Amino acid sequence: MLDFIQQHQEMIYVVILMIFCGIEIIEKVPSVLHTPLMSGANAIHGVVIIGAIIVMGKAESDNYLALALGFVAVILGTLNVVGGFVVTDRMLEMFKKKKK
Amino acid sequence: MELNILTLCYLIGSITFILGLKMLSNPATARKGNLVAAGGMTIAIFGTIFLYEENGAKLGNYPWIFAALAIGGIIGTMAAKKVKMTAMPEMVSLFNGMGGACAALISFIEFGHHVKNIATEAPSTGTLITIMVGLVIGSISFAGSMIAWGKLNGKLKDFSFPGQHIFNLVLLAVIVGLAGYLTTSLSADNYYLFYVIAVLSLVYGVFFVFPIGGADMPVVISLLNSFTGVAAACGGFLYDNKVMLTGGILVGAAGTLLTMLMCKAMNRSLSNVLIGNFGGNKSGGAASGSTPQGNYKEISLSDAATVMAYANKVIIVPGYGLAVAQAQHTCHELEKYLEEKGVEVKYAIHPVAGRMPGHMNVLLAEADVSYDKLMEMEQANDEFKSTDVVLILGANDVVNPAAKNDPSSPIYGMPILEVENAKTVIVNKRSMKPGYAGIENDLFFQPKTSMLFGDAKKALQDLLAEVKNV
């Protein structure tokens, strides 16, 4: 465990800084924007797709289980990313229109 | 060299996520912020596909990857374009579930990988922990989001059984225990426990969300959203991938805070929402608080139209009923017509009206209602005193005076819109059934309140026709 921390200390720093960063950023959001914000954040955690792509790209071409699971994972991840951003954009488009 | 470019791609990705979220917090830059984050995501994804290499080997299986990207991209775009604005919360929940499932699947594959090589090279404890956390959180998030989706679109009803909280706690303890055991002593004989953990996590996700009332769904979705963020960050640890880490943790932290803000708006603690005191056990605390009934009076359409047409100031309080009936456009028409008649019309938006914070704002924005007509709660509460008519469209718990007056009420202490300060209150509802909190609303029985029953859209259309006749 200590080895793990030692090896990944850089990442652990990133985690801690990001926690504060995430909290700071959100704090000033007016409640009007809560739904688009949740939706936008939802799209951003779709970054998990990168893991799915790596898994899939590394799979041996005869390992059908890994290929199939990876395939599904990439589809799901893409859904999350693309759907998330498009939905958010649709919501925000309406906000813009009425601002004129 | 190519790896350096990839590092640069990831750096750009991370920065755009932070900038994007930041810009999303301001109405003027929000849309651009979303695009910035989307652009960063695209760079990170294509960078990974073309530049990633491990031990000198590039990624393979391109046809598969691109096929999956295309399928997901097309379905995702279509679903997101087609969904009605009222169904937005369900959609977010659904997409969130997809992300959770994706994280869980990654854990599956990685685990399979390590088990295969277990004889030659045992995975480190740290790797196992991240795999376990990714699996458990991803599965819970997936199962929970699916249930939340089903509940929001009305396919699933609340469901709970006595002792469910205990059952959930035990289940969670078993999951954590098993995961801990497997992490410390994984061998070729006990690796199947991994799949047991996966199943139990799914079951936990289901039971975790099932008893929680519909009104609390936004809180749950927001929480599951931050869960998925953490699951994504686990992937970041697993592959030593900074962009997954920053993106995941950013969402995890922001989502948690957003969840707390929502709870605060309802004046409840997160644990209170999660244990489901409120949604599940309505028979417990709720029934004792409110003495049922008295008489309510109905108002005819023409009376309602007359009162509103001759008022100086009308405030509309929209709620979930407006969303269900898709009545936002009709509502805007009524507002415009009244304005032409010289009536001042405004909207009072409770922070938790509808199914998500900002839900009503989005709906009314869709109908082109001008931004400066929307008032937040504090501002609205100052204005009710000088208001002639308050028209409540399918809102209930957010205008229930019991939150102020009745300490035994389960919603006691929740900030509400104090509509009873206005001269007249007209309530449009489909029936006298209580709202999601499952409690009676004394407001409906007050002398100054009158009821206008019916579907919000139909009622508003009729009302509009009547107003034109006045």
Side-chain angles (χ1 to χ4, degrees), chain A residues 22-40:
Chain A
I23 291 174
E24 274 302 307
I25 287 174
I26 287 272
E27 221 160 27
K28 296 175 192 109
V29 173
S31 66
V32 191
L33 284 173
H34 274 176
T35 304
L37 180 82
M38 186 197 283
S39 181

Side-chain angles (χ1 to χ4, degrees), chain B residues 316-325 327 331 352-355 360 391-399 426-431 433-436 441 444 451-457 459-460:
Chain B
I316 299 176
V317 179
Y320 188 57
L322 178 91
V324 181
C331 185
V352 295
R355 285 293 176 273
M360 291 300 126
L391 177 64
I392 298 175
L393 298 170
N396 189 345
D397 297 327
V398 298
V399 293
I426 300 174
V427 182
N428 168 245
K429 267 173 111 303
R430 277 168 296 183
S431 67
K433 276 213 312 244
Y436 261 101
N441 192 338
F444 303 155
M451 309 297 292
L452 184 64
F453 289 115
D455 170 82
K457 187 171 191 173
L460 280 173

Side-chain angles (χ1 to χ4, degrees), chain B residues 433-452:
Chain B
K433 276 213 312 244
Y436 261 101
I439 48 178
E440 290 294 344
N441 192 338
D442 291 336
L443 177 74
F444 303 155
F445 308 110
Q446 287 180 5
K448 66 168 72 156
T449 308
S450 35
M451 309 297 292
L452 184 64

Side-chain angles (χ1 to χ4, degrees), chain B residues 286-306:
Chain B
S288 57
S290 48
T291 35
Q293 339 302 308
N295 295 315
Y296 58 87
K297 64 169 185 284
E298 278 191 62
I299 188 166
S300 71
L301 277 166
S302 54
D303 283 352
T306 316

Side-chain angles (χ1 to χ4, degrees), chain B residues 308-447:
Chain B
M308 288 176 70
Y310 289 105
N312 284 320
K313 185 151 120 191
V314 173
I315 294 185
I316 299 176
V317 179
Y320 188 57
L322 178 91
V324 181
Q326 290 274 348
Q328 62 272 31
H329 293 284
T330 325
C331 185
H332 180 50
E333 272 177 56
L334 180 68
E335 168 219 315
K336 273 193 301 194
Y337 197 82
L338 286 172
E339 289 262 299
E340 276 167 29
K341 289 206 144 212
V343 184
E344 187 188 356
V345 184
K346 284 188 173 169
Y347 294 85
I349 315 282
H350 190 277
V352 295
R355 285 293 176 273
M356 285 188 144
H359 193 181
M360 291 300 126
N361 305 75
V362 172
L363 273 184
L364 294 174
E366 190 199 358
D368 272 334
V369 172
S370 137
Y371 195 77
D372 45 285
K373 289 207 167 296
L374 309 183
M375 295 185 291
E376 299 207 7
M377 185 169 56
E378 289 81 12
Q379 192 194 353
N381 279 343
D382 290 340
E383 295 224 4
F384 282 129
K385 290 172 205 92
S386 60
T387 303
D388 301 301
V389 182
V390 170
L391 177 64
I392 298 175
L393 298 170
N396 189 345
D397 297 327
V398 298
V399 293
N400 192 338
K404 263 193 332 185
N405 310 330
D406 179 3
S408 67
S409 167
I411 61 169
Y412 182 69
M414 175 171 99
I416 55 160
L417 290 165
E418 293 158 5
V419 293
E420 72 271 21
N421 290 336
K423 293 199 186 83
T424 318
V425 180
I426 300 174
V427 182
N428 168 245
K429 267 173 111 303
R430 277 168 296 183
S431 67
M432 281 307 284
K433 276 213 312 244
Y436 261 101
I439 48 178
E440 290 294 344
N441 192 338
D442 291 336
L443 177 74
F444 303 155
F445 308 110
Q446 287 180 5

Side-chain angles (χ1 to χ4, degrees), chain A residues 4 10-11 26 29-30 33 35 38 41-42 45 52 55-59 73 76 80 82 85 87 89-91 98, chain B residues 25 31 34 54 60-61 64 77 80-81 83 88 96 98-99 102 126 225 239-240 242 251 254 262 356-357 371:
Chain A
F4 183 79
E10 199 187 328
M11 309 210 91
I26 287 272
V29 173
L33 284 173
T35 304
M38 186 197 283
N42 179 46
H45 71 48
V55 155
M56 175 117 205
K58 281 198 309 187
L76 296 180
N80 189 175
V82 176
F85 280 124
V87 160
D89 191 57
R90 263 191 70 193
M91 285 185 205
K98 71 173 178 241
Chain B
S25 68
R31 195 165 179 210
N34 186 48
E54 201 175 80
N61 301 318
W64 287 86
T77 313
K81 288 248 179 214
V83 65
M88 217 47 108
N96 181 48
M98 300 295 113
C102 183
N225 191 28
Y239 301 114
D240 201 20
K242 303 280 189 309
V251 173
M262 289 185 200
M356 285 188 144
Y371 195 77

Side-chain angles (χ1 to χ4, degrees), chain B residues 120-428:
Chain B
T120 50
E121 182 196 4
S124 76
T125 313
T127 308
L128 277 178
I129 290 177
T130 43
I131 291 182
M132 295 293 166
V133 174
L135 172 81
V136 171
I137 298 183
S139 305
I140 293 176
S141 181
F142 168 66
S145 298
M146 290 302 115
I147 300 295
W149 173 69
K151 285 181 87 156
L152 278 176
N153 67 17
K155 289 202 178 82
L156 296 169
K157 294 267 163 281
D158 290 5
F159 163 81
S160 62
F161 53 85
Q164 182 159 4
H165 309 153
I166 313 281
F167 175 83
N168 280 359
L169 283 177
V170 171
L171 192 58
L172 189 60
V174 171
I175 292 172
V176 173
L178 276 180
Y181 167 71
L182 206 54
T183 310
T184 49
S185 55
L186 176 69
S187 73
D189 299 324
N190 63 9
Y191 75 88
Y192 67 88
L193 281 176
F194 184 79
Y195 305 105
V196 177
I197 296 175
V199 172
L200 289 181
S201 303
L202 289 172
V203 171
Y204 180 77
V206 170
F207 282 111
F208 172 67
V209 177
F210 239 123
I212 299 175
D216 289 334
M217 266 321 133
V219 178
V220 176
I221 295 177
S222 173
L223 187 69
L224 293 174
N225 191 28
S226 63
F227 276 10
T228 313
V230 175
C234 286
F237 264 103
L238 215 49
Y239 301 114
D240 201 20
N241 186 314
K242 303 280 189 309
V243 76
M244 285 174 80
L245 192 68
T246 43
I249 295 292
L250 201 61
V251 173
T256 309
L257 184 70
L258 189 58
T259 311
M260 313 260 244
L261 289 177
M262 289 185 200
C263 286
K264 215 169 133 198
M266 297 194 289
N267 200 39
R268 299 171 51 205
S269 72
L270 185 56
S271 61
N272 182 286
V273 172
L274 295 187
I275 298 173
N277 271 340
F278 193 35
N281 292 358
K282 7 185 109 139
S283 49
S288 57
S290 48
T291 35
Q293 339 302 308
N295 295 315
Y296 58 87
K297 64 169 185 284
E298 278 191 62
I299 188 166
S300 71
L301 277 166
S302 54
D303 283 352
T306 316
V307 180
M308 288 176 70
Y310 289 105
N312 284 320
K313 185 151 120 191
V314 173
I315 294 185
I316 299 176
V317 179
Y320 188 57
L322 178 91
V324 181
Q326 290 274 348
Q328 62 272 31
H329 293 284
T330 325
C331 185
H332 180 50
E333 272 177 56
L334 180 68
E335 168 219 315
K336 273 193 301 194
Y337 197 82
L338 286 172
E339 289 262 299
E340 276 167 29
K341 289 206 144 212
V343 184
E344 187 188 356
V345 184
K346 284 188 173 169
Y347 294 85
I349 315 282
H350 190 277
V352 295
R355 285 293 176 273
M356 285 188 144
H359 193 181
M360 291 300 126
N361 305 75
V362 172
L363 273 184
L364 294 174
E366 190 199 358
D368 272 334
V369 172
S370 137
Y371 195 77
D372 45 285
K373 289 207 167 296
L374 309 183
M375 295 185 291
E376 299 207 7
M377 185 169 56
E378 289 81 12
Q379 192 194 353
N381 279 343
D382 290 340
E383 295 224 4
F384 282 129
K385 290 172 205 92
S386 60
T387 303
D388 301 301
V389 182
V390 170
L391 177 64
I392 298 175
L393 298 170
N396 189 345
D397 297 327
V398 298
V399 293
N400 192 338
K404 263 193 332 185
N405 310 330
D406 179 3
S408 67
S409 167
I411 61 169
Y412 182 69
M414 175 171 99
I416 55 160
L417 290 165
E418 293 158 5
V419 293
E420 72 271 21
N421 290 336
K423 293 199 186 83
T424 318
V425 180
I426 300 174
V427 182
N428 168 245

